[in-house]
Amino acid sequence: MTQPFGLLLAMMQPPESMEEEFQDWYDLEHIPERACCEGFLSALRFVCLDGFPRYVAVYDLAHPDVLKGDAYKAISGTKFSPWSKRILPRVHGQKRLDGPQIYPGTARYGDAGAPGRMGLLRLSGLGAEDEDAVIAVLRQTFEAREDVLQLRLWRSNYHGEFCFVGMVEAEAGFRFDAVDLSQMGRYRRNVDLLNLYSPYWRRGILTGVFA
């Protein structure tokens, strides 16, 4: 049986006084460092259009245990760079999630086309026994929509905090308020995060204008 891909997701927002340095840190050090780490399949940033905090980074992993490997340990935790140690204690809304991809299992961001929007849902207050039902209701809610390109789901148990994470990759016009979330039935009450994002454009990168 093919081992499922993993996910690492990090949300945060800098104080206004650190916005410029925060972007430089993410663009010039943090994202490139992780993109080159063994087992990381992607390293992508998004800007929040509806919700909090303002930024999220999403990393597809070859398998969930990548985060237990020596390569990742060498750039995380006590091995964070001095720049990371300066930035991370100062950000707001910091949230980290990681775990195995439970649906479809080995899909990467953009496999079904280039999304103009990315929606994130988190369902908390549930247990592993709810996994099949959560997959079913989220597929029912999102996969029949013409503006949805791909749906992916993960199970996370970061530091004992169990939840399910759904990612909706969609066309640019997608909005959660246009979706009939009542299709989720009783699981709608477990949604404690519903954020809509746009892909992040690195500052200074504009084709034909900046190198």
Side-chain angles (χ1 to χ4, degrees), residues 13-23 54 86-87 90-92:
Q13 179 170 321
E16 186 176 348
S17 61
M18 292 190 72
E19 178 79 25
E20 185 170 352
E21 183 182 4
F22 176 84
Q23 304 300 349
R54 188 180 303 143
R86 168 178 163 77
I87 294 290
R90 293 169 168 82
V91 299
H92 307 307

Side-chain angles (χ1 to χ4, degrees), residues 22-38:
F22 176 84
Q23 304 300 349
D24 286 341
W25 165 73
Y26 240 129
D27 291 345
L28 302 177
E29 179 184 274
H30 203 68
I31 283 285
E33 189 177 56
R34 275 138 188 79
C36 293
C37 182
E38 182 181 356

Side-chain angles (χ1 to χ4, degrees), residues 6-10 40 57-61 67 72 96-99:
L7 167 79
L8 172 60
L9 183 152
F40 276 63
V58 176
Y59 308 92
D60 286 316
L61 310 175
L67 301 180
Y72 182 67
R96 172 186 161 123
L97 300 166
D98 65 67

Side-chain angles (χ1 to χ4, degrees), residues 21 27 43 45 77 103 145 164-165 211:
E21 183 182 4
D27 291 345
R45 293 187 64 197
Y103 177 81
R145 293 184 59 88
F164 295 102
V165 180

Side-chain angles (χ1 to χ4, degrees), residues 45-95:
R45 293 187 64 197
F46 300 87
V47 180
C48 195
L49 302 174
D50 186 7
F52 173 84
R54 188 180 303 143
Y55 301 107
V56 66
V58 176
Y59 308 92
D60 286 316
L61 310 175
H63 53 84
D65 288 340
V66 165
L67 301 180
K68 299 178 182 178
D70 291 341
Y72 182 67
K73 288 180 180 179
I75 59 171
S76 62
T78 60
K79 301 293 186 178
F80 273 136
S81 73
W83 206 0
S84 294
K85 291 177 180 178
R86 168 178 163 77
I87 294 290
L88 289 172
R90 293 169 168 82
V91 299
H92 307 307
Q94 191 170 8
K95 188 72 176 177

